[in-house]
Amino acid sequence: MKQLVLFAGMVYLLMSCAGSPGFTDGKGDMDWQLFRGDAALSGYTDTPLPEDPVLLWSYKGNTRTVSSPVVDKGTTYWCDKKGHIQGIDIKGNPVFSYDLNTAVEATPMIHDSILYIGRIDGFLSAVSLSKKDTLWRFETMGQVSATPNTVNFEGRQSVVFGSYDNFLYCVDARDGSEINRFESGYYLNGAVAVWKEHVIFGGCDSWLRIINTRTGTPTDSLLLDAYIPASPAIMGDFCYVGDYSGNIYELLLEKGKIVRHKKIMKSTNENSSFVSVLSITSETVFALSNERYLYSIDRKGGKVNWKYLLKGNVGESSPLVCDDKVIVCTKTGIVTILDAQKGTLEWEYDTGEQIVGSPAVIRDHFFVLTTKGTLLCFGNK
């Protein structure tokens, strides 16, 4: 068994799909199978938002959740804090229900009609959506709050996830048998992904590190000015990450190395920080600051194209770029859509309930899940 010693600090992991055979990006017409839409956590989709969105329906789950919704074949899934998995079809009808009978905080991941989800009691469960039954469970020695991901690992389709027992696990997607594990110095709390054959993560010790998953060796690291409260985001070979001092960094990655890095934004406000995942397009970085501003930043020159002041506390929900629009939710419960180029307000809706998760977007619809367990479906009139 190969092992990899990582480092101390609250770790947030990231996995990008680039160069990963067998990877599913979760961006089918009626699918949003992964947190943030893709394994790179880019927060970008070319699926456009509805032109003139209205609330088509809402479904009250009546149990609190910190999950983001995921969508498979038009049905939206999430798990509440009591371990109840719910599935609501495109018309707002409940079509799936399954009880794990234990506390859950993680966002699920769906691959090949199997829902994978971490549990507070330390297990990762694989639940068949067709059979409505648990296929297998994998036990760790700490709670699993991290969102899992799927990747072809050494010829075997595997599920990759972190645990509070300080390990990152790779298990066989078919039967849950362990393929590999990597030891860290602190518990693993964030979403996982792979950039080519490397794991990239940042944490509370202010270090951003790159680990080669096949050799089990660290290949590079970078000390930032402050700790990293959210996962990095990747577009191609470029990685972007914000720190708690209000700085945003761009890193060019090559063969597991950081061959170039620079700050593309340095905050002049000592109270500014970036606590949600950035969103990346071919030209722009979108960043949500705790000052309540959503920033559009030019990737090439680092110039702020525009900034927009949102209503209420922003919380941890991360923005999404959907073709030519940006959608963002605040902890206060406001859902806002802006023109991505101009930063002008296109649409706004007050849900009346707190939001900490990210939206899910499919053809002609988008979904928002509140902390009270209310799923809201928006579409064209």
Side-chain angles (χ1 to χ4, degrees), residues 99-125:
D99 270 323
L100 295 171
N101 295 313
T102 188
V104 172
E105 291 183 353
T107 294
M109 180 272 294
I110 298 174
H111 178 69
D112 283 348
S113 297
I114 299 174
L115 184 147
Y116 301 90
I117 190 162
R119 303 160 27 163
I120 297 300
D121 63 2
F123 286 89
L124 181 86
S125 287

Side-chain angles (χ1 to χ4, degrees), residues 123-136:
F123 286 89
L124 181 86
S125 287
V127 178
S128 170
L129 297 181
S130 59
K131 297 178 181 179
K132 297 184 179 181
D133 194 14
T134 295
L135 300 178
W136 52 259

